[in-house]
Amino acid sequence: MQFLGATQVFSGKEFLPSNTILVLDDVRKLIDIISLNEIDELKVEKHEGIITPGFINAHCHLELSHLKDTIKKHTGIVDFGLGVMQHRNTLPETLQIEAMVEADKEMVKQGIVAVGDISNTNLSISTKKASNIYYHTFVELIALNPERASIVFDNGQQLLLDFKNVSLHGSLAPHAPYSASKELIQLISHYCFQNNSPTSIHNQESKAENDFFQFKIGDYLRLYEQIGLTINYFTPTQKSSLLSIIDAFHPSVNTLLVHNTFSSNEDLKISRQLHQQLFWCLCPNANLYIENTLPDITELIKQNCNLVIGTDSLASNSGLSMIDEINTICKNFPKIPLDILLQAATFNGAYFLGISHQYGELNPNTNCGINLIEGKKGEFRVKKLA
Ligand SMILES: [Zn+2]
């Protein structure tokens, strides 16, 4: 048996008393949580820093790992999207898979134990199957044309079967409001309701997204023109993108809104009235990479939104590190209490994915993992202890 102690211990939901000791078995699995006065202090492996459960990366695209340093920074979402389309298949599949294996290893090293991963193909299966990380794959579907909803939905179910047939976890997810019709979102959300599984959508990553929905103007018209898509069927809604689509989601399905960079106070308020199971995913480093701006995290907290954190992909980030995301938030919003961010990086992500019985909280005899956060706020480093 081994005994671990640290300056502070965070359970996944709160800081525990400072005399908290974690008891590990010989393979360093957490088997008990006790108080220092129950044992001989000399037996304790004492660390300087904060012990937390393993991190839950709520939003990643393992498939884009080979695009590191490929797409220019600060171009805005439309040129970023065009860049991904242009480059994603320029490397042979073997090299794409090699990049995914490296990215998976990096996440393990960074103390990540579970990932919500967006996939458009089955190319990530071998990496996920061989990994110690728990992956929930969101098979991502794209079709703004309502007439294509049912065929795209059927194809998505087929692709999801490739994952499920090898015992990987997964569900379906619409890509974004500007690329998925309400008909498609309804099919997906109903499927997730029936299967008791979560879903996800990129939300309000740019101002252009709201412009497109409100008035059918702005940069997205350039995107559709460049990829040769006519969108006569799309009529503006006079509402923000989020408020235009939120009622298509089943209100009892755990639904991840990713980015939320241009969500207004009213968007937060109204969408939360219409849907009680929304989770708001912060990917600050990707936001700075693509749009060079950040969501109003203070307002998200003020309105009691369920926050989770994601790294997004190596196409829009220099690493896949949850602690780097936390550092970016701490630097830009120094007043946000650390426990809120630590809970977003651990328990909330696990709860969203429906795996909080095994992950996200320091509970004996689970797969929670143990991290040590060292250094000072804004310059934290993470070490995987178990
Ligand atoms: Zn993404």
Side-chain angles (χ1 to χ4, degrees), residues 285-296:
N285 288 338
N287 301 148
L288 293 176
Y289 192 106
I290 298 172
E291 297 280 342
N292 200 22
T293 183
L294 291 171
D296 187 349

Side-chain angles (χ1 to χ4, degrees), residues 59-61 64 80 118 140 175 200-202 205 258-259 283 286 290 311-313 316:
H59 181 74
C60 185
H61 303 243
L64 303 181
F80 177 81
I118 304 284
E140 183 177 72
H175 168 252
S200 160
I201 187 166
H202 295 88
E205 198 171 352
V258 183
H259 295 305
C283 304
I290 298 172
T311 60
D312 214 345
S313 74
S316 61

